[in-house]
Amino acid sequence: MQKEIDSFISYLHNVKKTSDNTVLSYQRDLKKLRAFLEEKGIRTTSDITEASLKEYVKSMSESGFKPATISRNIASVKAWYHYMTSNGMVSADISVGLKAPKIEKKMPEIMTLTEVNSLLDQPKGDSPKEIRDKAMLELLYATGIRVSELIGLKMTDLNLQSGMIVCRDSHKERVVPFGSTAKNAIVRYLNDSRDKLVGEGKADTLFVNCSGEEMSRQGFWKLIKYYTKKAGIEADITPHTLRHSFAAHLVENGADLKSVQEMLGHSDISTTQIYVNMNHNHLRDVYAKSHPRH
């Protein structure tokens, strides 16, 4: 069984060029499946049955896993079986009968403009770290990019003259504009901070940690938490909250959906549509509170 899993992971890496985070997610899910099956005495793919796969899904539900986690695991199993059937490793795709649980779509948490301003105003000092933090927070809200894209930016991805950054993932790249506030923060970082953080190193990453190396996701997560607390914001703010807020504020101020989709890098415009729905909900709330004959 492990041989087929390894072959699938290698295919994702080398042929599909799937992102590292996605590949790790598949690996974790399939490792969990293998452990469950081996505990049941099933050690080869030919011994796996549709019933044993359904039992695995049932066990996750009984163990209290969230519907989103169960759905992701099912998607991993289905992708693995699609690969195996396509390559003649198994005779039939027995994963087709697996049903994902219904997931309630939650509206993303959005910061108010006051909260955004309060958070972005927190790094006030002149230390190299605070100057860097200010530039990172300003750029994150100015562009709505993912935290992985922010920490992965190279010096060559930044064009200060045009006010653009280039974001890349394993499938495509996109160009995202940023405004003068973020530009000023980045210029100050490049002039007064980056060289001090890099030291003797030769990092090509735009934003570096205090050791002069690429910052980790966890490192930036802690940074957000620190400044959220400092700003006195009680809501649970994550890097993705700033991304959602960026999109919602653009739509609320009249940006067209196609442009927002392109900036966010959504492959399907229906994913971006949620911000329009949020705006409609906001307008209904305003109407309910303000109209004299509601």
Side-chain angles (χ1 to χ4, degrees), residues 128 130-139 155 158-165 178-196 206-207:
E130 284 179 286
I131 293 171
R132 179 208 64 191
D133 295 350
K134 173 74 171 172
M136 292 186 83
L137 289 173
E138 288 288 359
L139 187 61
M155 290 290 287
L158 173 69
N159 189 325
L160 281 172
Q161 193 171 358
S162 64
M164 298 277 193
I165 53 168
F178 58 87
S180 58
T181 307
K183 180 180 177 178
N184 292 338
I186 294 168
V187 168
R188 188 181 179 208
Y189 163 69
L190 293 175
N191 289 340
D192 303 338
S193 173
R194 188 176 181 277
D195 286 347
K196 292 172 185 172
L206 176 58
F207 296 111

Short mmCIF file of all heavy atoms in Angstrom, two decimals, residues 128 130-139 155 158-165 178-196 206-207:
data_model
loop_
_atom_site.label_atom_id
_atom_site.label_comp_id
_atom_site.label_asym_id
_atom_site.label_seq_id
_atom_site.Cartn_x
_atom_site.Cartn_y
_atom_site.Cartn_z
N PRO A 128 14.80 47.75 13.30
CA PRO A 128 14.69 47.04 12.01
C PRO A 128 13.49 46.10 11.97
O PRO A 128 12.81 46.01 10.95
CB PRO A 128 16.01 46.27 11.91
CG PRO A 128 16.98 47.08 12.72
CD PRO A 128 16.17 47.65 13.85
N GLU A 130 10.56 46.30 13.72
CA GLU A 130 9.28 47.02 13.64
C GLU A 130 9.07 47.66 12.27
O GLU A 130 7.94 47.70 11.76
CB GLU A 130 9.19 48.06 14.75
CG GLU A 130 8.91 47.45 16.12
CD GLU A 130 8.86 48.50 17.21
OE1 GLU A 130 9.94 49.01 17.60
OE2 GLU A 130 7.75 48.83 17.68
N ILE A 131 10.14 48.16 11.68
CA ILE A 131 10.05 48.73 10.33
C ILE A 131 9.64 47.65 9.33
O ILE A 131 8.80 47.86 8.46
CB ILE A 131 11.38 49.39 9.92
CG1 ILE A 131 11.66 50.62 10.80
CG2 ILE A 131 11.37 49.78 8.44
CD1 ILE A 131 13.03 51.21 10.64
N ARG A 132 10.25 46.44 9.49
CA ARG A 132 9.87 45.30 8.63
C ARG A 132 8.42 44.90 8.86
O ARG A 132 7.66 44.67 7.91
CB ARG A 132 10.79 44.11 8.93
CG ARG A 132 10.47 42.85 8.11
CD ARG A 132 10.86 41.59 8.85
NE ARG A 132 10.09 41.43 10.08
CZ ARG A 132 10.39 40.53 11.01
NH1 ARG A 132 11.44 39.74 10.88
NH2 ARG A 132 9.63 40.42 12.09
N ASP A 133 8.02 44.79 10.14
CA ASP A 133 6.65 44.38 10.46
C ASP A 133 5.63 45.34 9.85
O ASP A 133 4.60 44.91 9.32
CB ASP A 133 6.46 44.32 11.98
CG ASP A 133 7.32 43.24 12.64
OD1 ASP A 133 7.92 42.44 11.91
OD2 ASP A 133 7.40 43.23 13.88
N LYS A 134 5.92 46.63 9.94
CA LYS A 134 5.02 47.65 9.37
C LYS A 134 4.87 47.44 7.86
O LYS A 134 3.75 47.45 7.33
CB LYS A 134 5.61 49.05 9.65
CG LYS A 134 4.88 50.20 8.97
CD LYS A 134 3.57 50.53 9.63
CE LYS A 134 2.98 51.82 9.08
NZ LYS A 134 1.61 52.04 9.57
N ALA A 135 5.98 47.20 7.17
CA ALA A 135 5.95 47.00 5.72
C ALA A 135 5.16 45.75 5.35
O ALA A 135 4.37 45.74 4.39
CB ALA A 135 7.37 46.92 5.17
N MET A 136 5.35 44.68 6.12
CA MET A 136 4.65 43.41 5.82
C MET A 136 3.15 43.55 6.02
O MET A 136 2.35 43.09 5.18
CB MET A 136 5.20 42.30 6.71
CG MET A 136 6.64 41.90 6.40
SD MET A 136 7.21 40.46 7.35
CE MET A 136 6.56 39.12 6.35
N LEU A 137 2.74 44.17 7.12
CA LEU A 137 1.31 44.34 7.39
C LEU A 137 0.65 45.25 6.36
O LEU A 137 -0.45 44.96 5.87
CB LEU A 137 1.10 44.90 8.80
CG LEU A 137 1.39 43.96 9.97
CD1 LEU A 137 1.31 44.70 11.29
CD2 LEU A 137 0.44 42.77 9.97
N GLU A 138 1.33 46.33 6.02
CA GLU A 138 0.79 47.26 5.02
C GLU A 138 0.63 46.56 3.66
O GLU A 138 -0.39 46.72 2.98
CB GLU A 138 1.68 48.49 4.87
CG GLU A 138 1.65 49.46 6.05
CD GLU A 138 0.36 50.26 6.15
OE1 GLU A 138 -0.53 50.10 5.31
OE2 GLU A 138 0.26 51.06 7.11
N LEU A 139 1.63 45.79 3.28
CA LEU A 139 1.57 45.12 1.97
C LEU A 139 0.50 44.03 1.96
O LEU A 139 -0.20 43.84 0.95
CB LEU A 139 2.93 44.52 1.60
CG LEU A 139 3.04 43.94 0.19
CD1 LEU A 139 2.80 45.01 -0.88
CD2 LEU A 139 4.40 43.29 -0.03
N MET A 155 13.09 39.59 -3.99
CA MET A 155 13.40 41.00 -4.31
C MET A 155 12.99 41.32 -5.75
O MET A 155 12.51 42.41 -6.04
CB MET A 155 14.89 41.27 -4.11
CG MET A 155 15.33 41.27 -2.64
SD MET A 155 14.69 42.69 -1.73
CE MET A 155 15.71 44.00 -2.40
N LEU A 158 9.32 42.46 -6.74
CA LEU A 158 8.86 43.79 -6.34
C LEU A 158 9.25 44.83 -7.39
O LEU A 158 10.40 44.93 -7.78
CB LEU A 158 9.48 44.18 -4.99
CG LEU A 158 9.25 45.60 -4.48
CD1 LEU A 158 7.79 45.80 -4.09
CD2 LEU A 158 10.18 45.89 -3.30
N ASN A 159 8.25 45.60 -7.85
CA ASN A 159 8.51 46.71 -8.76
C ASN A 159 7.96 47.98 -8.12
O ASN A 159 6.77 48.27 -8.19
CB ASN A 159 7.85 46.47 -10.13
CG ASN A 159 8.27 47.49 -11.17
OD1 ASN A 159 8.48 48.66 -10.85
ND2 ASN A 159 8.39 47.06 -12.42
N LEU A 160 8.85 48.70 -7.45
CA LEU A 160 8.42 49.91 -6.74
C LEU A 160 7.95 51.00 -7.68
O LEU A 160 7.03 51.75 -7.37
CB LEU A 160 9.58 50.44 -5.87
CG LEU A 160 9.83 49.72 -4.55
CD1 LEU A 160 11.12 50.21 -3.92
CD2 LEU A 160 8.66 49.90 -3.59
N GLN A 161 8.58 51.07 -8.84
CA GLN A 161 8.25 52.14 -9.79
C GLN A 161 6.81 52.03 -10.27
O GLN A 161 6.07 53.02 -10.32
CB GLN A 161 9.21 52.10 -10.99
CG GLN A 161 9.14 53.35 -11.85
CD GLN A 161 10.23 53.38 -12.90
OE1 GLN A 161 11.07 52.49 -12.96
NE2 GLN A 161 10.23 54.41 -13.73
N SER A 162 6.39 50.81 -10.58
CA SER A 162 5.01 50.62 -11.07
C SER A 162 4.03 50.33 -9.94
O SER A 162 2.82 50.29 -10.15
CB SER A 162 4.97 49.47 -12.09
OG SER A 162 5.32 48.24 -11.47
N GLY A 163 4.55 50.07 -8.72
CA GLY A 163 3.68 49.74 -7.60
C GLY A 163 3.01 48.39 -7.78
O GLY A 163 1.80 48.24 -7.60
N MET A 164 3.81 47.39 -8.17
CA MET A 164 3.28 46.05 -8.44
C MET A 164 4.17 44.99 -7.78
O MET A 164 5.38 45.19 -7.64
CB MET A 164 3.25 45.77 -9.95
CG MET A 164 2.36 46.70 -10.75
SD MET A 164 0.64 46.18 -10.71
CE MET A 164 -0.05 47.19 -12.02
N ILE A 165 3.55 43.87 -7.41
CA ILE A 165 4.31 42.69 -7.01
C ILE A 165 3.86 41.51 -7.87
O ILE A 165 2.71 41.48 -8.34
CB ILE A 165 4.12 42.33 -5.52
CG1 ILE A 165 2.64 42.21 -5.16
CG2 ILE A 165 4.86 43.30 -4.62
CD1 ILE A 165 2.40 41.59 -3.80
N PHE A 178 -0.20 47.72 -5.52
CA PHE A 178 -0.30 48.21 -4.15
C PHE A 178 -0.19 49.72 -4.16
O PHE A 178 0.34 50.32 -5.10
CB PHE A 178 0.75 47.57 -3.23
CG PHE A 178 2.18 47.78 -3.66
CD1 PHE A 178 2.90 48.92 -3.30
CD2 PHE A 178 2.82 46.81 -4.44
CE1 PHE A 178 4.21 49.10 -3.70
CE2 PHE A 178 4.14 46.99 -4.85
CZ PHE A 178 4.84 48.14 -4.47
N GLY A 179 -0.69 50.37 -3.10
CA GLY A 179 -0.77 51.83 -3.07
C GLY A 179 0.42 52.50 -2.42
O GLY A 179 1.39 51.85 -2.01
N SER A 180 0.30 53.82 -2.27
CA SER A 180 1.42 54.63 -1.79
C SER A 180 1.77 54.38 -0.33
O SER A 180 2.93 54.46 0.06
CB SER A 180 1.12 56.12 -2.00
OG SER A 180 -0.07 56.47 -1.31
N THR A 181 0.76 54.05 0.50
CA THR A 181 1.04 53.80 1.92
C THR A 181 1.94 52.58 2.07
O THR A 181 2.93 52.62 2.81
CB THR A 181 -0.27 53.58 2.71
OG1 THR A 181 -1.15 54.68 2.47
CG2 THR A 181 0.01 53.46 4.19
N ALA A 182 1.59 51.50 1.36
CA ALA A 182 2.42 50.29 1.41
C ALA A 182 3.79 50.57 0.78
O ALA A 182 4.82 50.11 1.29
CB ALA A 182 1.72 49.15 0.68
N LYS A 183 3.80 51.33 -0.30
CA LYS A 183 5.06 51.65 -0.98
C LYS A 183 6.01 52.39 -0.03
O LYS A 183 7.20 52.06 0.06
CB LYS A 183 4.80 52.50 -2.23
CG LYS A 183 6.07 52.88 -2.98
CD LYS A 183 5.76 53.71 -4.22
CE LYS A 183 7.05 54.14 -4.92
NZ LYS A 183 6.77 54.90 -6.16
N ASN A 184 5.50 53.39 0.67
CA ASN A 184 6.33 54.16 1.60
C ASN A 184 6.91 53.27 2.70
O ASN A 184 8.06 53.42 3.09
CB ASN A 184 5.52 55.30 2.21
CG ASN A 184 5.15 56.36 1.19
OD1 ASN A 184 5.80 56.48 0.15
ND2 ASN A 184 4.10 57.12 1.46
N ALA A 185 6.08 52.34 3.20
CA ALA A 185 6.53 51.42 4.26
C ALA A 185 7.62 50.49 3.74
O ALA A 185 8.59 50.19 4.44
CB ALA A 185 5.35 50.63 4.80
N ILE A 186 7.47 50.03 2.48
CA ILE A 186 8.46 49.12 1.88
C ILE A 186 9.77 49.86 1.61
O ILE A 186 10.86 49.34 1.87
CB ILE A 186 7.91 48.51 0.57
CG1 ILE A 186 6.72 47.58 0.88
CG2 ILE A 186 9.00 47.71 -0.15
CD1 ILE A 186 5.94 47.17 -0.35
N VAL A 187 9.67 51.09 1.10
CA VAL A 187 10.87 51.89 0.83
C VAL A 187 11.66 52.11 2.13
O VAL A 187 12.89 51.97 2.17
CB VAL A 187 10.49 53.25 0.19
CG1 VAL A 187 11.70 54.20 0.18
CG2 VAL A 187 9.99 53.03 -1.23
N ARG A 188 10.94 52.43 3.19
CA ARG A 188 11.62 52.63 4.48
C ARG A 188 12.29 51.34 4.94
O ARG A 188 13.41 51.35 5.47
CB ARG A 188 10.61 53.11 5.54
CG ARG A 188 11.31 53.52 6.82
CD ARG A 188 10.36 53.97 7.90
NE ARG A 188 11.12 54.32 9.10
CZ ARG A 188 10.66 54.24 10.33
NH1 ARG A 188 9.41 53.83 10.55
NH2 ARG A 188 11.41 54.56 11.37
N TYR A 189 11.60 50.21 4.76
CA TYR A 189 12.16 48.91 5.13
C TYR A 189 13.44 48.62 4.34
O TYR A 189 14.45 48.20 4.91
CB TYR A 189 11.12 47.81 4.90
CG TYR A 189 11.68 46.41 4.85
CD1 TYR A 189 12.21 45.81 5.99
CD2 TYR A 189 11.68 45.69 3.66
CE1 TYR A 189 12.72 44.51 5.94
CE2 TYR A 189 12.19 44.40 3.60
CZ TYR A 189 12.71 43.82 4.75
OH TYR A 189 13.23 42.54 4.69
N LEU A 190 13.40 48.86 3.03
CA LEU A 190 14.57 48.59 2.18
C LEU A 190 15.73 49.53 2.52
O LEU A 190 16.90 49.12 2.49
CB LEU A 190 14.19 48.74 0.71
CG LEU A 190 13.20 47.69 0.17
CD1 LEU A 190 12.82 48.02 -1.28
CD2 LEU A 190 13.77 46.28 0.26
N ASN A 191 15.42 50.77 2.86
CA ASN A 191 16.47 51.76 3.14
C ASN A 191 17.07 51.62 4.54
O ASN A 191 18.28 51.78 4.73
CB ASN A 191 15.93 53.18 2.97
CG ASN A 191 15.67 53.54 1.52
OD1 ASN A 191 16.21 52.91 0.61
ND2 ASN A 191 14.83 54.53 1.29
N ASP A 192 16.20 51.31 5.52
CA ASP A 192 16.64 51.41 6.92
C ASP A 192 16.68 50.10 7.68
O ASP A 192 17.14 50.08 8.82
CB ASP A 192 15.72 52.37 7.69
CG ASP A 192 15.67 53.76 7.07
OD1 ASP A 192 16.61 54.12 6.34
OD2 ASP A 192 14.68 54.48 7.30
N SER A 193 16.18 49.02 7.10
CA SER A 193 15.98 47.82 7.91
C SER A 193 16.54 46.53 7.31
O SER A 193 17.22 45.77 8.00
CB SER A 193 14.48 47.63 8.18
OG SER A 193 14.21 46.42 8.82
N ARG A 194 16.27 46.28 6.03
CA ARG A 194 16.56 44.97 5.47
C ARG A 194 18.03 44.58 5.58
O ARG A 194 18.36 43.45 5.98
CB ARG A 194 16.09 44.89 4.01
CG ARG A 194 16.19 43.47 3.44
CD ARG A 194 15.64 43.38 2.03
NE ARG A 194 15.74 42.02 1.56
CZ ARG A 194 16.83 41.48 1.03
NH1 ARG A 194 17.93 42.23 0.89
NH2 ARG A 194 16.86 40.23 0.63
N ASP A 195 18.94 45.49 5.22
CA ASP A 195 20.37 45.16 5.26
C ASP A 195 20.82 44.79 6.67
O ASP A 195 21.67 43.91 6.85
CB ASP A 195 21.21 46.33 4.74
CG ASP A 195 21.12 46.48 3.23
OD1 ASP A 195 20.61 45.53 2.59
OD2 ASP A 195 21.54 47.53 2.70
N LYS A 196 20.24 45.45 7.68
CA LYS A 196 20.61 45.16 9.07
C LYS A 196 20.14 43.76 9.48
O LYS A 196 20.80 43.07 10.25
CB LYS A 196 20.01 46.21 10.00
CG LYS A 196 20.62 47.60 9.81
CD LYS A 196 19.87 48.65 10.61
CE LYS A 196 20.41 50.05 10.31
NZ LYS A 196 19.60 51.11 10.93
N LEU A 206 12.40 38.99 -0.07
CA LEU A 206 12.12 40.39 0.25
C LEU A 206 12.07 40.61 1.76
O LEU A 206 12.77 41.48 2.29
CB LEU A 206 10.79 40.81 -0.40
CG LEU A 206 10.29 42.22 -0.08
CD1 LEU A 206 11.31 43.28 -0.49
CD2 LEU A 206 8.94 42.48 -0.76
N PHE A 207 11.26 39.82 2.46
CA PHE A 207 11.13 39.98 3.91
C PHE A 207 11.87 38.84 4.62
O PHE A 207 11.59 37.67 4.36
CB PHE A 207 9.66 39.99 4.32
CG PHE A 207 8.89 41.16 3.76
CD1 PHE A 207 7.92 40.98 2.79
CD2 PHE A 207 9.16 42.45 4.21
CE1 PHE A 207 7.22 42.06 2.28
CE2 PHE A 207 8.47 43.54 3.70
CZ PHE A 207 7.50 43.35 2.74
#
